[in-house]
Amino acid sequence: MTRSLTLSAAAAFVLLALGALVLPDWAMFLFAMALAKGLVCLGIVGMMRGGLVSFGQGLYYCLGAYTATLVANTFGVSDIFLLTVLSTGVCLAVGLAFGPLLASYRGIFFAMLSLALSMVLYGSLSKMSFIGGTDGLNIAAPTFLGWAPEGRALQTALYLYVAVMVVIAGTLMRIYFDSEQGLIALAARDNELRVEYLGASVRNVNTYSYVFGAVLGGIGGTIAVLALGHVDPEFAFWTTSGEFVFVAILAGYLSVPSVFVAAIILEMVRSFSNLYFPNTWQLALGIFLLIVIVVLPDGLGSLVRRRKGDAT
Amino acid sequence: MTATVLDVRDVQKTFGAVTAAQDISVAVPEGAVYSLIGTNGAGKTTFVNMVTGYIKPDAGTINFGGRDIAGMAPRQITRMGIHRSFQIAQLCNELTVEENMLVAGAIHGNHRPSFLRNGHNAEARDRALATLERFNIAEHRNRLIPELSGGVKKLLDIAMAMAGKTSIMMLDEPTSGVAADEKFPIMDLVIGALRSEGVTVIFVEHDMDIVTRYSERVLAFYDGRIIADDTPDEVLSDADVRRYVTGAAA
């Protein structure tokens, strides 16, 4: 890990931690949710670097959330660290099972297959009345290594937890993006034939990024359900996955921090347009995305990482 | 006596009603420079594609390194030591020249590509720069691919293919799309670099001056068959080759 990356990670954490001191409760919740969703979107951005876009990341977001909820409600586990590890483990296992299968597909076929998997989960959960059906399930507030905060302290602890996760995941993804494997993924996005004729497997490259996306989806889903206190099948619905893709396009594939900035922008635009234009807020969101695509085709990240001999 | 490095036996390939390869048999000695000539559709590129795994022959064997590689995936064949360049240079257009070399170096390095080691590390960059210098294209290292001339693209394509341990290099029309005055300097550079490492070279070429100057042996293709297999002088004076390939009066 380079000195500049260490400093960037430390600065990002300090900046996020400052939010815990200055943000009001409503904004802290909004930021925590945006950052949790940003983790899911980071997984999509990882896939985008290899040339794939998953329209079914709601699968892992939902799976992580349901796993945490079922473990908490069934076994009485409330520790946020343990719940995160368990739900991430389930998502990792599912990602490893589906990854090699989906990695053989490209473009619209990959997008639709990933979407189909998330919709299968959505349909299945909706019909399972013993785990709440379409009403979903509630989950109690988490504990932090035995500490059970309430009120503002709980909000702050959750916010700081997601901040730590964002910094760790962001740093690890930056290391991956800059690594030899990350460079090969960029090459595969550009010219699969060349990569195969150099002796690397593009299928493996895509499997890795899919599995990373599954893990990040699981972490994001776990944090989101703990912040909301409720999960329902909508977590896996296509509109949820569409939001993640929206953020990934808004962010672009060049920069890690831009993913979280884009996720926060989306939450802000959505919250305020919902407040001021309750019936037409989706229209505002659509116009916003259109402007970004026209003005910044490589996303927000291209503002800070303009390419001049620097691909990553 | 030089050992045979590539032994192709009775290879066949058809695409519907079209016969692209018919009873192709050839034994290529280690370190030799072969050229493949023939009109468009004669089966030269099909031969290269079958040896490098892009297409699977319908019948026959392709022995390399003690194994039949017919039908293996391109990456497996590449890892065994048969590398290739393409008629249209296959490069990563969104990456710089140096980054294209870094990708090749990361895949062909002494270790498996890492998730942690920086792809732009100093050692890898030095190695990439050394290869680029060897092919006289180091001055372009920070440029993106669309900014390069056809000749530089061809050289980079070949340099990338050579980043790994190479036994056989197959060059598909290495001078196509290259300016006339660049052809011989490029071939001097490429053949010189490959010969200095003892690499066996098989190249597809339409320019008979290049064929005569650089190859030790020529395979003339016509209608999916090899109609002549000999030294350049012998092949180019063969009546069938003059009739079907070079178009010269018999």
Side-chain angles (χ1 to χ4, degrees), chain A residues 178 180 190 194 198 307 311, chain B residues 90 94 99 108 117 119 157:
Chain A
D178 290 340
E180 291 171 340
D190 213 340
R194 177 78 268 178
L198 284 171
R307 295 187 40 106
Chain B
Q90 292 297 319
E94 291 182 17
E99 284 166 341
H108 286 307
R117 192 180 309 108
D157 193 30

Side-chain angles (χ1 to χ4, degrees), chain A residues 152-236:
Chain A
R152 168 88 187 177
L154 175 62
Q155 287 269 49
T156 307
L158 256 175
Y159 173 81
L160 288 174
Y161 182 74
V162 70
V164 169
M165 286 295 165
V166 163
V167 171
I168 292 172
T171 306
L172 289 175
M173 283 304 264
R174 185 73 259 167
I175 290 171
Y176 164 55
F177 290 171
D178 290 340
S179 72
E180 291 171 340
Q181 285 284 1
L183 196 56
I184 295 168
L186 270 183
R189 167 197 171 90
D190 213 340
N191 192 334
E192 282 194 22
L193 186 68
R194 177 78 268 178
V195 172
E196 286 280 339
Y197 270 101
L198 284 171
S201 163
V202 175
R203 190 177 179 214
N204 286 352
V205 169
N206 291 335
T207 302
Y208 300 144
S209 60
Y210 184 82
V211 172
F212 295 153
V215 167
L216 289 168
I219 298 172
T222 307
I223 294 170
V225 75
L226 291 171
L228 285 168
H230 180 80
V231 61
D232 60 47
E234 291 284 324
F235 273 49

Side-chain angles (χ1 to χ4, degrees), chain A residues 76-82 141-150 157:
Chain A
V77 175
S78 62
D79 185 75
I80 193 167
F81 296 97
L82 190 54
T143 58
F144 297 79
L145 299 172
W147 178 50
E150 288 178 358

Side-chain angles (χ1 to χ4, degrees), chain A residues 34-49:
Chain A
L35 294 174
K37 289 179 178 178
L39 285 167
V40 188
C41 302
L42 185 59
I44 298 177
V45 168
M47 286 182 245
M48 279 169 68
R49 287 178 73 90

